[in-house]
Amino acid sequence: MLPPSRFADREERLATEGREKYQGTARIKLEVLHFPQNEPRELDRENVERLKGYFKKGQCHRVGRNHIPAVIDQSQLSEVLRDSNVSVKTLLSNTDPHPMLRFPAGSQLQCLHGRHRIQAAREFLTPRESWWTVDLYLSGMCHHSSRRYH
């Protein structure tokens, strides 16, 4: 365990890096969102069912809260913005509705957390509504792998 001062320094470094790498917020289809196989937390069916209950009651907010952070490399982001006809300014504006980004078939974004929310959404939402609000960060942050998944 890190001493309190080293822990605070690390947290500050990560926060600064996050602000520097933040690229904006968008709606992204659920099939694009990917969670690493080596994620330490196994999928908990009970938690997924509990979250689906929130969906049924209209209590799971994917727009204003509960964003999922994901990493993307600069070339993929540039391509997706071009193909989606979305400007960098629009992506960074953080206004509702967030733009919908269109990814080529088979594309995947590595998500940093939110696996249970996304699984519940996949099982509950209709195909037309199968998207989530995602905060995009350039790949290469020190607290996760920068590997791309395609």
Side-chain angles (χ1 to χ4, degrees), residues 29 31 124-131:
K29 289 286 194 180
E31 65 261 15
F124 181 80
L125 297 173
T126 66
R128 182 171 173 225
E129 291 295 316
S130 66
W131 56 267

Side-chain angles (χ1 to χ4, degrees), residues 49-64:
E49 293 302 320
R50 181 182 61 80
L51 291 167
K52 284 169 53 177
Y54 288 138
F55 276 105
K56 289 175 188 165
K57 296 174 191 172
Q59 296 174 334
C60 195
H61 309 284
R62 20 177 207 167
V63 177

Side-chain angles (χ1 to χ4, degrees), residues 37-123:
Q37 295 296 340
N38 61 350
E39 186 175 277
R41 188 172 177 192
E42 289 294 318
L43 193 64
D44 179 346
R45 285 304 315 166
E46 195 172 300
N47 193 16
V48 170
E49 293 302 320
R50 181 182 61 80
L51 291 167
K52 284 169 53 177
Y54 288 138
F55 276 105
K56 289 175 188 165
K57 296 174 191 172
Q59 296 174 334
C60 195
H61 309 284
R62 20 177 207 167
V63 177
R65 298 181 288 177
N66 297 314
H67 294 190
I68 301 285
V71 294
I72 189 167
D73 72 35
Q74 185 62 61
S75 62
Q76 184 182 31
L77 178 61
S78 297
E79 180 182 326
V80 166
L81 290 175
R82 185 188 67 239
D83 292 349
S84 303
N85 198 28
V86 172
S87 71
V88 172
K89 184 178 179 179
T90 299
L91 193 63
L92 284 166
S93 70
N94 211 6
T95 57
D96 287 330
H98 296 288
M100 176 68 81
L101 295 184
R102 291 188 284 277
F103 285 76
S107 294
Q108 293 183 330
L109 286 180
Q110 180 183 353
C111 298
L112 302 179
H113 62 76
R115 183 177 182 183
H116 290 90
R117 277 177 274 165
I118 296 306
Q119 184 60 40
R122 286 177 175 147
E123 294 176 19

